[in-house]
């Protein structure tokens, strides 16, 4: 899957309706996907994610291969 497709899925929230969880089974809630960065640096900035009730705000980097 091309990385640009993953960016589109993230930006448009196309995961909606599917349960989100970490590989350890922790619940994930995406409050805000952040701002898409088309330049050098992180793919999205100022994203807001809640994992098991703890809020995280910051950059999101999307890769096809870790």
């Amino acid at each position: 899957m091309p990385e640009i497709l993953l960016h589109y899925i993230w930006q448009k929230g196309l995961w909606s309706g599917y349960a989100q969880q970490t590989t350890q089974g922790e619940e994930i809630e995406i409050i805000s996907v952040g701002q898409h960065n088309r330049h050098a640096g992180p793919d999205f900035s100022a994203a807001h994610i809640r994992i098991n009730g703890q809020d995280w705000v910051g950059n999101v980097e999307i890769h096809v291969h870790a």
Side-chain angles (χ1 to χ4, degrees):
M1 177 179 303
E3 191 171 301
I4 194 166
L5 179 58
L6 293 177
H7 284 197
Y8 183 80
I9 290 168
W10 178 261
Q11 189 173 19
K12 300 297 182 186
L14 298 180
W15 63 82
S16 181
Y18 297 95
Q20 302 301 306
Q21 65 183 26
T22 67
T23 56
Q24 291 81 25
E26 300 170 311
E27 180 184 345
I28 298 174
E29 181 183 358
I30 299 156
I31 310 298
S32 170
V33 297
Q35 298 296 315
H36 189 212
N37 178 17
R38 299 181 195 284
H39 307 289
D43 297 324
F44 293 85
S45 60
H48 183 180
I49 300 170
R50 185 170 293 138
I51 302 174
N52 268 359
Q54 181 173 351
D55 287 355
W56 295 84
V57 177
N59 299 329
V60 171
E61 188 69 34
I62 297 174
H63 295 286
V64 175
H65 301 288

